Amino acid sequence: MVKKNRKFNYKKDLKKKWKQLKAKTNPEVKTEQLKEFWNTHKSIKANYAEMGLSADPNVTIGIPKTKVLLNPEVMEISKAKQLNQALNESKETPALKKLLTEANRSTEKVYNLNENDTLYCIYMLEKYGEDYEKMAKDYKNYYQDTPAQIRKKLNLFKKMKGPYKKYLNDKKAGVNFLDELDEKY
């Protein structure tokens, strides 16, 4: 048997292929919660199983086949109770507990408007109060926002903690915004 000479394929990037293979076999764990529990000598599946997580939810949960749904198997009540009890008993590993506490921690939503929009909102509030129809007809409504769009923008401005509090404090102090805003805006 004659051995075939193989030619080098210059189109393939072997360095990239090697990096992909290396990343697949030994992935870099970026989440802080999993880093401390990750064992680099084990496979992804084994690491997930050890932490009480699922590597493939389709296998773990499983979608029942139509054949099984149409012809359900008759099961004894005691056996069904045992299966239900086994499913309810979850193995809470330290990694799983840490992930759950991190997921349940509440986070505050941050609202942002750019500087021009905050000045626009202050101007409209000072000049018209809560009359959105008049705001829509104002000559400084450059983008021709509708009353509903202006209302949304003002509600967003009111949800912003820093600029809105500053605006309220300055208003209590007696600052005249209309004169200042005509110069800036």
Side-chain angles (χ1 to χ4, degrees):
M1 183 150 75
V2 180
K3 199 173 187 181
K4 250 187 177 180
N5 286 340
R6 288 198 169 166
K7 291 184 179 180
F8 186 77
N9 189 355
Y10 290 97
K11 293 179 184 176
K12 280 187 181 177
D13 189 357
L14 294 177
K15 189 176 184 182
K16 183 180 174 186
K17 204 170 190 180
W18 170 248
K19 281 184 180 178
Q20 286 175 345
L21 182 70
K22 192 177 174 186
K24 195 174 185 182
T25 54
N26 193 11
E28 183 185 331
V29 182
K30 294 178 182 171
T31 54
E32 294 293 324
Q33 295 82 10
L34 296 181
K35 252 184 191 175
E36 62 186 78
F37 300 105
W38 194 265
N39 187 351
T40 53
H41 302 292
K42 290 186 178 179
S43 68
I44 298 170
K45 219 174 193 181
N47 270 309
Y48 274 2
E50 191 176 283
M51 286 187 261
L53 300 172
S54 171
D56 187 6
N58 292 328
V59 173
T60 309
I61 298 170
I63 301 168
K65 305 267 185 214
T66 314
K67 189 176 181 182
V68 175
L69 291 173
L70 292 174
N71 301 324
E73 203 176 286
V74 179
M75 192 185 294
E76 292 179 22
I77 296 171
S78 60
K79 191 175 180 182
K81 285 182 181 177
Q82 286 175 351
L83 281 173
N84 192 21
Q85 198 173 35
L87 285 173
N88 289 339
E89 288 178 13
S90 62
K91 301 171 187 171
E92 283 209 19
T93 60
L96 193 60
K97 284 180 185 174
K98 199 167 191 177
L99 283 171
L100 287 172
T101 54
E102 189 71 27
N104 291 335
R105 191 166 40 111
S106 63
T107 57
E108 274 189 34
K109 192 168 183 179
V110 179
Y111 298 98
N112 287 323
L113 273 178
N114 61 24
E115 190 177 341
N116 290 336
D117 282 344
T118 53
L119 292 174
Y120 171 77
C121 289
I122 292 169
Y123 171 79
M124 291 298 186
L125 282 172
E126 281 295 308
K127 194 161 185 181
Y128 300 109
E130 295 293 321
D131 193 1
Y132 303 109
E133 298 293 328
K134 286 185 181 176
M135 288 181 197
K137 294 175 185 173
D138 189 78
Y139 72 97
K140 290 212 176 183
N141 184 6
Y142 300 130
Y143 298 109
Q144 297 182 350
D145 292 333
T146 62
Q149 289 171 325
I150 294 171
R151 185 181 311 112
K152 280 183 184 177
K153 201 175 277 188
L154 288 174
N155 286 338
L156 188 64
F157 173 67
K158 288 176 183 176
K159 287 178 185 177
M160 291 171 58
K161 288 190 175 176
Y164 188 63
K165 280 185 180 177
K166 186 178 181 218
Y167 163 70
L168 289 177
N169 290 338
D170 288 347
K171 193 173 181 181
K172 283 181 185 175
V175 177
N176 189 2
F177 287 101
L178 290 176
D179 295 337
E180 290 178 27
L181 289 174
D182 280 333
E183 293 169 10
K184 285 184 185 177
Y185 184 63

